[in-house]
Amino acid sequence: MVRINKSSQLSKRKSYQIATTLHEGAVAIAGEIRLPEQLFETSCKIIGDEFATMVKWIAAGGGVVGHLKSYLAAAGQGVMISSTGDQVHTQPVAIPKNQAGQVSIAVIVFGISQPELEARLIAVFDQLVQCQKSTREENDER
């Protein structure tokens, strides 16, 4: 197992509840954060765009996408965003009535190192959190 030495990355792994598994040459990483209802559409766009970019980044690094998958739920809406290395697909899904807003992301990749892949997933979560902060600041100014 690879150890992460950067304290900033370690704290982000905890706050985003990131767990990593190594299995037969694949790195499988999953994490999640809360999703405010008003950011559902924006978060869907961010993740779709990031998955498309991540597919290219993985291929450029000599890796192979096993699966990129995200589940988003908020405001009574649910969606799965996924890719197996070709296109990024978005599919609405039913969610339980009392489902709290959340974003869950799981990636399974071959040929990319654990630290690089974790840093990439953390960057996606960082972008979602920054969007939340910006929205809060805009609302506070009003």
Side-chain angles (χ1 to χ4, degrees):
M1 175 170 288
V2 177
R3 297 214 183 273
I4 307 299
N5 295 323
K6 293 181 184 175
S7 61
S8 63
Q9 191 167 353
L10 282 171
S11 71
K12 287 181 180 181
R13 285 181 86 237
K14 289 178 185 175
S15 65
Y16 300 146
Q17 301 176 26
I18 291 176
T20 302
T21 304
L22 305 176
H23 182 71
E24 296 184 18
V27 177
I29 302 175
E32 64 182 44
I33 61 170
R34 290 183 175 268
L35 174 63
E37 291 186 10
Q38 70 271 22
L39 293 179
F40 181 81
E41 294 297 329
T42 302
S43 296
C44 288
K45 177 161 179 24
I46 288 170
I47 292 171
D49 291 349
E50 286 298 317
F51 276 11
T53 301
M54 196 179 292
V55 164
K56 292 175 186 169
W57 172 77
I58 291 166
V64 176
V65 173
H67 209 127
L68 309 178
K69 186 165 272 203
S70 182
Y71 169 76
L72 291 85
Q77 304 175 79
V79 69
M80 296 294 292
I81 301 172
S82 65
S83 179
T84 54
D86 52 1
Q87 297 176 344
V88 175
H89 305 279
T90 302
Q91 178 180 359
V93 294
I95 63 167
K97 286 187 180 210
N98 296 327
Q99 171 77 50
Q102 77 175 61
V103 174
S104 299
I105 300 176
V107 298
I108 301 172
V109 176
F110 296 85
I112 301 293
S113 74
Q114 175 186 350
E116 287 178 295
L117 199 55
E118 284 184 6
R120 192 66 189 224
L121 182 58
I122 287 168
V124 173
F125 283 126
D126 283 347
Q127 190 173 2
L128 293 168
V129 167
Q130 184 57 46
C131 181
Q132 291 176 14
K133 287 179 183 176
S134 296
T135 301
R136 254 184 268 142
E137 289 170 2
E138 287 173 14
N139 290 338
D140 290 346
E141 289 176 2
R142 291 180 190 161

